[in-house]
Amino acid sequence: MEFDTVARAILGNIEKVLAGKREAAEAALVVVLAEGHLLIEDVPGVGKTMLAKALGRSVSCSVRRIQFTPDLLPSDITGVSVYNQVEREFEFKPGAVFANIVIGDEINRASPKTQAALLEAMEERQVTVDGTTYTLASPFSVVATQNPFEMEGTYALPEAQRDRFMARISMGYPDAAAELAMVQGRDAQNPFDALEAVATIDDVQHMIATARAVYVSPAVEQYAVAIAQATRVHPDLRLGASPRATLQLVRAAKARAAVQGRDFVLPDDVDALVQVVLPHRLIPMRGVASVEDVVARIVAETPVPAGTVQPS
């Protein structure tokens, strides 16, 4: 199927269970098509896990869910070698990370040691157990949810793990009309139960390849780099954006351009994604209330490229 047709079908499918959350649905799709990982952070009960599940249900691919708890072990995620008494040798039992879409529910309720089990998987698309390396499925994306770290029973994600998430979004509360429709409609049937796949794994692979081929002009690349470098010298930030953040910002911009029906990236694509790609990676100086405000000022002060951005 055509890129636009599949993209609209997936977004429409998600909106069947999350009315009024088009922006969050588009962000989730962009991250998957950019071969990244998504962190959904918000208070309980606003549809974080439902967004992840609806995305997974919309594509006929392997989906595994991990409920992160304080007693979850790293081997529950990556897998473990078990001795086979019949064969008299150890055999590997894959963990929950071996899937195309891995839903990590309440990821910050597990200990830092267990959270770290995802580091290699998220960056290198592989896991190493007992000295043997196992390649993960392709495509592979982690869609994790977390409650605000101030809530009881949560652990802040380490900087290295936050940096591996391409984007962080919040769901927000639904408006009154959407909430009323949910209350009235879900007594009879949960719309998620009727949700069916609208895209195949081959469709997603094709869309990823299309997004990867989107043209980025040198001027737009320099614009993204300038924003990232400005975070590293800004007086209100103790830790700026990593080179990985710059790379993922450009990749996400390419995927967004493809979803918007273009084969080239505009500075507007970068601007639209800066606030979901950068802030969760940055550490403010003491007394700075909002990282998002700092990023907004950086974008406003960075000259927008005036040259051509389309392929010649």
Side-chain angles (χ1 to χ4, degrees):
M1 288 192 289
E2 293 294 328
F3 188 105
D4 291 346
T5 303
V6 180
R8 285 196 301 270
I10 293 174
L11 293 174
N13 224 31
I14 296 173
E15 286 194 300
K16 290 179 182 178
V17 296
L18 287 170
K21 297 298 180 183
R22 182 78 174 195
E23 187 174 340
E26 286 185 353
L29 180 59
V30 163
V31 169
V32 170
L33 297 183
E35 301 178 275
H37 309 292
L38 177 66
L39 181 62
I40 310 172
E41 181 182 271
D42 217 319
V43 297
V46 294
K48 302 187 300 297
T49 304
M50 186 59 70
L51 172 60
K53 290 171 63 178
L55 177 63
R57 180 70 67 88
S58 297
V59 181
S60 56
C61 62
S62 57
V63 180
R64 299 286 297 274
R65 176 180 174 178
I66 308 171
Q67 182 64 54
F68 281 76
T69 57
D71 60 350
L72 186 73
L73 299 175
S75 59
D76 295 328
I77 298 173
T78 59
V80 63
S81 294
V82 178
Y83 186 71
N84 187 323
Q85 293 184 339
V86 176
E87 301 293 336
R88 295 181 180 275
E89 61 182 18
F90 283 92
E91 62 180 54
F92 179 65
K93 298 291 185 182
V97 77
F98 284 83
N100 295 116
I101 297 179
V102 177
I103 301 172
D105 202 11
E106 296 186 307
I107 188 173
N108 61 335
R109 289 201 178 277
S111 67
K113 179 179 180 180
T114 300
Q115 292 175 12
L118 280 172
L119 292 179
E120 181 184 11
M122 293 174 69
E123 179 63 19
E124 301 175 49
R125 269 63 175 178
Q126 66 182 33
V127 296
T128 302
V129 178
D130 294 336
T132 303
T133 299
Y134 303 91
T135 303
L136 298 176
S138 180
F140 170 73
S141 287
V142 174
V143 182
T145 71
Q146 75 167 4
N147 298 321
F149 67 85
E150 295 88 353
M151 301 190 73
E152 185 177 354
T154 59
Y155 302 84
L157 294 183
E159 289 82 359
Q161 186 151 19
R162 290 204 307 270
D163 197 43
R164 281 164 169 77
F165 283 103
M166 175 174 282
R168 181 191 64 180
I169 65 172
S170 296
M171 298 294 296
Y173 291 108
D175 58 34
E179 191 167 4
L180 179 60
M182 179 187 69
V183 171
Q184 293 174 338
R186 297 204 178 186
D187 281 343
Q189 183 183 14
N190 187 337
F192 181 78
D193 296 335
L195 214 60
E196 296 182 352
V198 294
T200 66
I201 190 69
D202 290 338
D203 291 331
V204 175
Q205 293 276 26
H206 172 72
M207 295 172 77
I208 289 173
T210 300
R212 194 183 297 155
V214 168
Y215 174 76
V216 188
S217 70
V220 173
E221 291 175 335
Q222 292 168 7
Y223 179 58
V225 169
I227 291 173
Q229 290 197 331
T231 66
R232 300 168 195 161
V233 297
H234 199 282
D236 289 339
L237 297 176
R238 184 158 54 92
L239 178 67
S242 67
R244 181 192 286 122
T246 312
L247 180 61
Q248 293 190 346
L249 178 59
V250 173
R251 285 179 177 171
K254 292 169 70 173
R256 182 182 188 273
V259 171
Q260 296 287 326
R262 284 180 278 104
D263 61 356
F264 60 93
V265 174
L266 294 172
D268 289 348
D269 295 313
V270 176
D271 291 346
L273 292 164
V274 162
Q275 289 289 7
V276 298
V277 173
L278 294 188
H280 66 283
R281 310 166 189 269
L282 311 178
I283 298 179
M285 299 294 286
R286 183 172 297 179
V288 176
S290 173
V291 172
E292 286 77 9
D293 288 346
V294 176
V295 172
R297 292 199 301 271
I298 288 174
V299 173
E301 294 167 0
T302 304
V304 178
T308 179
V309 297
Q310 298 188 37
S312 57

